[in-house]
Amino acid sequence: MALPGELWAELTMEKRIFCSVLLFSWVVYLWEAFLARRQRKVYRTTTHVPWELGQIMDSETFEKSRLYQLDKSTFSFWSGLYSELEGTLILLCGGIPFLWNVSGQISGRAGFEPEYEITQSLVFLLLATLFSAVTGLPWSLYNTFVIEEKHGFNQQTLGFFFKDAIKKFIVTQCILLPVTSLLLYIIKIGGEYFFIYAWLFTLVVSLVLVTIYADYIAPLFDKFIPLPEGELKQAIEMMAKSIDFPLTKVYVVEGSKRSSHSNAYFYGFFKNKRIVLFDTLLEDYCALNKEHSEGEDGEDDDTKPKVKMNSFLCFFLFAVLIGQKELFAAFGFYETQPTLIGLMIIFQFIFSPYNEVLSFCLTVLSRRFEFQADAFAKELGKAEDLYSALIKLNKDNLGFPVSDWIFSMWHYSHPPLLERLQALKDVKQD
């Protein structure tokens, strides 16, 4: 009977690559499932308010948050299992080369011969994102109209949900397809140093999207208005001025038409920073309630572009690996090596171990930044205000304050509530 090592040695390089990708994908999934199981155990067994929170969280809110997070965790388990099985079946059944061939047939019928690789790539991308949207739709519907509805957060109607989903898909394609076509063209004509030009292009695109998002993209989805003049706006502007924060505008986004969750964020770069407050966060603010109906369109945090600035190394390694025909053969591309497929194979599959390590490092770094931000609030004498704000946000969003330490370390980019409150409490007592 052959040993695993002997069987591995008998495999071709293409099979080794394919098996390694598949194996690593399942290792990551099982690790995530293990962490989620630990956290679900916390949800099930922690049925009473911890003594540290006895004075700031009532038992009713604690129980609501526990049940909400338990439902979300169970949902994530099943949706994650489906996603992993779907991805595995796509790889095993040759779904990627099949879709590429279908894309070639469609572009060919439109008069574009095989040499029009960029056109075929765009058709492939459109079909792939459409497939992802359709297969993910039932899960999104269940999450919105069952889980979020059950726990009192959903504010959407079914008609609004589908209208919003279609709009997001169209806007995404209007951005994704032109950007991808230009990126593929740059790679094609860039010569030996194409990875530098590709990196610069993606950097410029990211900065442009951040700049135009609020004025041209966000208004397609949500209404937002300038924060009305008054005590709150003056306090925000005075605070920004006191710390030399280059604040240009303060908006209120109409998040309440989707969900009753509350949040706030800022975005922008250089001397153009803007603060966005969810209207659910300010629902008791009288001036806002009076003027809200007269506002204009706005934005939502769910549609914020997520910029990844780690692209230089990725493009450099892509330039090194793109000539390896074994990579394409491992995924069913024996005769052709399309650039888009190469990007997908290398960025999505080959870089998976690197991406997992990087993701964890960024999570650790983000937590550190959050603690630094809290420390900065202390220096400004705002520890007590931040303390109460964190409690309010946790209560409004039914956040569960107790976490398994491994789950927290791996997933939470923000420090757990108890850790942040303890740090602020020490200063308050001082």
Side-chain angles (χ1 to χ4, degrees):
M1 182 176 180
L3 297 175
E6 296 174 347
L7 292 175
W8 181 261
E10 294 176 359
L11 295 177
T12 63
M13 179 59 69
E14 296 86 43
K15 294 296 183 181
R16 291 182 186 182
I17 294 173
F18 182 83
C19 291
S20 297
V21 167
L22 206 56
L23 177 62
F24 184 79
S25 177
W26 275 96
V27 167
V28 171
Y29 168 75
L30 292 175
W31 168 248
E32 294 284 358
F34 167 73
L35 295 180
R37 184 175 180 272
R38 289 177 61 97
Q39 184 62 19
R40 279 196 300 277
K41 183 178 179 181
V42 172
Y43 295 145
R44 292 192 181 102
T45 59
T46 311
T47 57
H48 300 286
V49 181
W51 65 269
E52 302 98 322
L53 297 175
Q55 296 181 345
I56 60 176
M57 177 174 282
D58 60 88
S59 58
E60 181 180 358
T61 300
F62 184 83
E63 180 65 9
K64 286 181 179 180
S65 66
R66 187 183 74 85
L67 295 177
Y68 175 54
Q69 297 298 333
L70 184 59
D71 282 350
K72 286 179 61 179
S73 180
T74 303
F75 171 79
S76 295
F77 168 78
W78 290 110
S79 61
L81 177 60
Y82 168 80
S83 179
E84 188 64 24
L85 290 173
E86 178 188 82
T88 299
L89 287 175
I90 288 174
L91 291 178
L92 291 175
C93 298
I96 299 176
F98 171 78
L99 191 61
W100 178 258
N101 292 332
V102 171
S103 303
Q105 294 173 10
I106 294 175
S107 58
R109 291 175 182 175
F112 296 96
E113 299 301 323
E115 59 267 21
Y116 290 91
E117 182 185 312
I118 294 181
T119 301
Q120 185 174 352
S121 298
L122 297 183
V123 176
F124 173 87
L125 195 59
L126 177 62
L127 294 178
T129 52
L130 181 61
F131 173 82
S132 179
V134 171
T135 57
L137 183 61
W139 298 99
S140 182
L141 283 167
Y142 187 89
N143 181 62
T144 300
F145 293 100
V146 177
I147 296 180
E148 295 294 303
E149 184 82 27
K150 174 183 176 181
H151 295 277
F153 287 116
N154 178 48
Q155 302 294 325
Q156 302 181 63
T157 64
L158 195 60
F160 177 88
F161 176 90
F162 280 105
K163 178 182 177 181
D164 198 52
I166 294 172
K167 189 187 300 183
K168 285 182 179 180
F169 182 83
I170 293 175
V171 172
T172 299
Q173 300 309 312
C174 289
I175 297 174
L176 180 64
L177 297 182
V179 169
T180 302
S181 63
L182 288 174
L183 176 61
L184 295 176
Y185 181 72
I186 290 172
I187 293 175
K188 289 288 186 183
I189 68 170
E192 184 179 359
Y193 299 103
F194 76 85
F195 63 92
I196 297 178
Y197 309 132
W199 170 68
L200 290 174
F201 172 73
T202 56
L203 179 63
V204 170
V205 169
S206 299
L207 295 178
V208 169
L209 287 177
V210 170
T211 302
I212 69 173
Y213 177 78
D215 295 324
Y216 299 101
I217 300 177
L220 299 173
F221 300 99
D222 295 293
K223 291 183 178 180
F224 69 100
I225 61 172
L227 181 65
E229 296 293 336
E231 182 180 349
L232 178 59
K233 184 177 181 180
Q234 292 176 1
I236 293 175
E237 291 175 341
M238 288 178 60
M239 173 64 71
K241 185 176 181 180
S242 68
I243 58 175
D244 296 324
F245 181 81
L247 178 64
T248 56
K249 294 180 181 179
V250 183
Y251 290 118
V252 178
V253 61
E254 189 184 24
S256 58
K257 67 181 181 180
R258 286 192 172 85
S259 170
S260 58
H261 285 293
S262 59
N263 205 349
Y265 62 90
F266 77 87
Y267 67 97
F269 60 96
F270 297 131
K271 298 297 182 179
N272 184 27
K273 301 290 182 66
R274 304 178 183 186
I275 292 177
V276 177
L277 309 173
F278 280 39
D279 59 348
T280 48
L281 190 65
L282 306 174
E283 58 186 5
D284 296 326
Y285 183 56
C286 296
L288 175 66
N289 291 337
K290 292 178 181 178
E291 301 183 25
H292 191 270
S293 60
E294 300 176 3
E296 299 177 357
D297 290 344
E299 68 181 311
D300 178 89
D301 190 41
D302 291 338
T303 56
K304 283 182 64 180
K306 296 176 175 57
V307 181
K308 297 182 178 179
M309 305 307 288
N310 185 48
S311 54
F312 180 79
L313 177 60
C314 293
F315 278 117
F316 173 75
L317 294 177
F318 171 76
V320 173
L321 297 174
I322 189 62
Q324 305 297 320
K325 294 184 178 181
E326 294 86 355
L327 289 178
F328 290 91
F331 293 89
F333 290 84
Y334 301 99
E335 304 297 333
T336 60
Q337 292 84 41
T339 303
L340 178 65
I341 299 301
L343 285 169
M344 185 178 70
I345 290 174
I346 294 174
F347 278 41
Q348 183 175 346
F349 299 124
I350 305 302
F351 282 2
S352 290
Y354 165 77
N355 289 334
E356 288 297 321
V357 173
L358 177 65
S359 177
F360 174 70
C361 292
L362 292 178
T363 298
V364 173
L365 184 63
S366 177
R367 286 165 68 111
R368 181 182 179 185
F369 288 160
E370 290 292 330
F371 277 122
Q372 290 177 343
D374 290 353
F376 183 65
K378 299 175 192 175
E379 296 175 3
L380 297 177
K382 301 295 183 180
E384 187 171 351
D385 293 332
L386 180 57
Y387 189 92
S388 61
L390 290 174
I391 295 173
K392 173 177 171 53
L393 281 174
N394 186 83
K395 180 178 180 180
D396 290 349
N397 294 291
L398 291 184
F400 195 69
V402 184
S403 303
D404 173 76
W405 71 274
I406 303 181
F407 182 89
S408 172
M409 177 185 66
W410 189 260
H411 282 292
Y412 289 174
S413 59
H414 288 55
L417 178 65
L418 283 176
E419 293 182 26
R420 298 182 72 177
L421 293 184
Q422 185 59 51
L424 293 170
K425 186 177 180 181
D426 293 341
V427 174
K428 287 172 62 180
Q429 291 175 345
D430 292 342

